[in-house]
Amino acid sequence: MFHLMLVVVFFSWGRTYRQRLFPISLCINALAVNLVKSEASREEDRIRILNSICGNDNLNVSPPAYHDKYNKVDATLRGKFAVTSYRRMLESGVNMKQIRKALLEAPLAHLEVDFSGCNEFQGEALEFMKSLPESVKELDLSYGKVGFKSSHEFADGLRRLSKLESLKLTLFSNKELRCVNRLGEEIGHLDQLHELYLNFDTCGGITEVFSLAASLVTMSHIKKLNLFFVC
């Protein structure tokens, strides 16, 4: 059972160094959060929260046992927990199946994750991409110093995010990165994208960029473009 106040506390621990302080058991339990079954310091607070979620004018009546809005809020909370604890759980070596599921089912519009310097992420990047919810409109990913050699390792499946309007991808210090053609191919299918930021700072080994260049030339819907290629 979760104390409802835990939701507020957990969201304040959004940065990597603070994530590492969170117990793995708490991260795992958070992925199964259920508002109806949660506890509050006072029962009347729990009742009012549930009534507020389902839109009841009278916050003091007994709330319905089931409601579609409960499911949406639960999915959103689980997704927020998944985003916040993804790196922590990956680096701890736990089974990632539950956290991927929570992320995929979350109705999130904005998503920001930092995997910079996370060696374990090189083998997890494609699973992470598969787990991103299709509802995402703004995506901010930091993949610096991961050790990628080709964009095949992290970009496959990006085109699935058909609602994406803004993409920020930071790949600094992936010094063995040679080919970004697949990234270009995937971006070329994002018809709603109007803002793109790509940072290849200190990725001096990149030699294959044709598909990326070709996609950018044809994407007239891009309104804001920032590219950084610094050796």
Side-chain angles (χ1 to χ4, degrees):
M1 290 264 193
F2 269 85
H3 192 298
L4 287 177
M5 190 58 71
L6 174 62
V7 172
V8 178
V9 174
F10 192 92
F11 285 162
S12 67
W13 292 59
R15 296 298 177 184
T16 300
Y17 78 96
R18 287 184 289 181
Q19 293 169 15
R20 290 173 178 171
L21 301 178
F22 241 77
I24 286 297
S25 59
L26 183 56
C27 294
I28 294 173
N29 289 337
L31 297 176
V33 65
N34 185 309
L35 288 177
V36 175
K37 296 180 180 179
S38 298
E39 296 177 341
S41 55
R42 298 191 305 172
E43 177 61 14
E44 55 263 40
D45 290 338
R46 188 186 74 87
I47 289 173
R48 288 168 182 162
I49 290 172
L50 293 178
N51 277 316
S52 178
I53 289 172
C54 59
N56 286 342
D57 292 331
N58 187 343
L59 300 182
N60 297 311
V61 299
S62 195
Y66 301 97
H67 199 285
D68 287 342
K69 289 185 178 179
Y70 294 162
N71 296 332
K72 183 176 181 179
V73 172
D74 282 343
T76 300
L77 290 175
R78 292 169 188 161
K80 292 284 188 180
F81 288 134
V83 171
T84 304
S85 60
Y86 203 104
R87 176 170 180 159
R88 170 79 170 104
M89 294 180 68
L90 177 62
E91 291 178 331
S92 298
V94 301
N95 190 308
M96 299 296 289
K97 184 177 180 179
Q98 186 179 6
I99 193 169
R100 292 172 188 153
K101 182 175 184 293
L103 181 57
L104 181 63
E105 295 177 351
L108 302 177
H110 175 81
L111 200 153
E112 179 179 354
V113 191
D114 188 350
F115 289 106
S116 298
C118 180
N119 296 328
E120 294 85 354
F121 187 65
Q122 186 172 9
E124 175 67 18
L126 289 183
E127 292 296 335
F128 176 74
M129 182 61 69
K130 292 177 185 177
S131 302
L132 293 177
E134 295 185 11
S135 57
V136 171
K137 294 183 178 181
E138 298 179 12
L139 186 59
D140 185 343
L141 303 173
S142 294
Y143 289 174
K145 295 184 178 180
V146 173
F148 293 124
K149 297 179 181 179
S150 169
S151 59
H152 284 271
E153 298 176 69
F154 59 83
D156 278 0
L158 181 61
R159 70 182 69 188
R160 182 176 57 83
L161 306 180
S162 59
K163 297 180 181 179
L164 199 61
E165 299 175 359
S166 174
L167 173 62
K168 181 177 180 180
L169 180 59
T170 303
L171 287 149
F172 69 89
S173 294
N174 280 278
K175 296 182 179 181
E176 296 185 52
L177 185 61
R178 299 290 181 267
C179 177
V180 293
N181 282 332
R182 179 52 59 89
L183 175 62
E185 293 168 5
E186 297 290 328
I187 288 175
H189 287 81
L190 300 176
D191 296 334
Q192 300 300 312
L193 194 68
H194 59 75
E195 183 173 332
L196 178 62
Y197 173 99
L198 298 176
N199 187 338
F200 298 100
D201 189 13
T202 59
C203 297
I206 297 177
T207 56
E208 299 179 46
V209 298
F210 177 80
S211 294
L212 176 59
S215 292
L216 294 178
V217 168
T218 60
M219 296 176 73
S220 58
H221 47 278
I222 294 286
K223 304 302 180 183
K224 186 176 181 180
L225 175 64
N226 289 286
L227 296 176
F228 294 89
F229 287 89
V230 183
C231 297

